[in-house]
Amino acid sequence: MQIDILTVVPDLLASPLSHSIIKRAREKNLLQINIIHLRDWALNKYGQVDDYQFGGGAGMVMRCEPLANAIDDLQKEQPYDEIIYVTPDGKQHNQQIANELSLKEKILIICGHYKGIDQRIRDLYVTKEISIGDYVLSGGELAAAVIVDSVGRLIPGVLGDETSALSDSFQDNLLAPPVYTRPAEFRGLKVPDELMTGNPKIIDAWRDEQALKRTEERRPDLLQ
Ligand code: 6GU
């Protein structure tokens, strides 16, 4: 899978996508991430990509021409399966969207800055608008990193059996059960007996029960 990310702050994206599972996915060539600097399509030698809003108001807006020219160039050989704009007014990201995106071949994520991008780019190019939650970030880069991480780990072959996504929170609309490692007792707190039985039936039943209990207590909305 290829994920291109169009940004005016490429430095914000480099590190979060170069570690752990995502690093290995890139090394195995299951995931290609290209961080692309929008200034390469700037309007002038000053690197301008934004302008004042029509109608007035504080804050700049990212202009159409650099974005349109960049997108046209980037899909000359192979069109994008999805062009995503990350924005606080998008649909809230979740595991189902991550699952769907992980099956695509080539996607573009556009990171907005300032007051966002000209509406006409959204009308003409964008196929999906995603927010990562009800709060405002300074730009779309950290949201893009969150989305790429959540998608990249789901690409077939990225996770081994031992880290299978099947046991993650949300994968079946349940939160994950508690987990324990050694020592078997810490400051008077013991690991639940069920996990120490070595009996897969008892262990699975305990995990299912705990996942359900946690979800009922913390996220009853997931059970609707
Ligand atoms: Cl996608 N972008 C920005 N700037 N802020 C956000 C967001 C995205 N999602 C939540 N807050």
Side-chain angles (χ1 to χ4, degrees), residues 85-89 112 130-141 143-144 147:
Y85 176 46
V86 285
T87 172
D89 59 14
I130 302 178
S131 163
I132 62 163
D134 289 342
Y135 41 82
V136 176
L137 303 170
S138 311
E141 284 75 14
I147 293 165

Side-chain angles (χ1 to χ4, degrees), residues 160-172:
D161 278 349
E162 75 285 3
T163 47
S164 166
L166 294 176
S167 58
D168 286 348
S169 277
F170 303 113
Q171 207 50 263
D172 41 17

Side-chain angles (χ1 to χ4, degrees), residues 180-193 196:
Y180 297 86
T181 184
R182 291 184 289 183
E185 184 175 341
F186 180 70
R187 297 191 184 169
L189 297 179
K190 286 199 173 109
V191 174
D193 290 336
M196 309 300 267

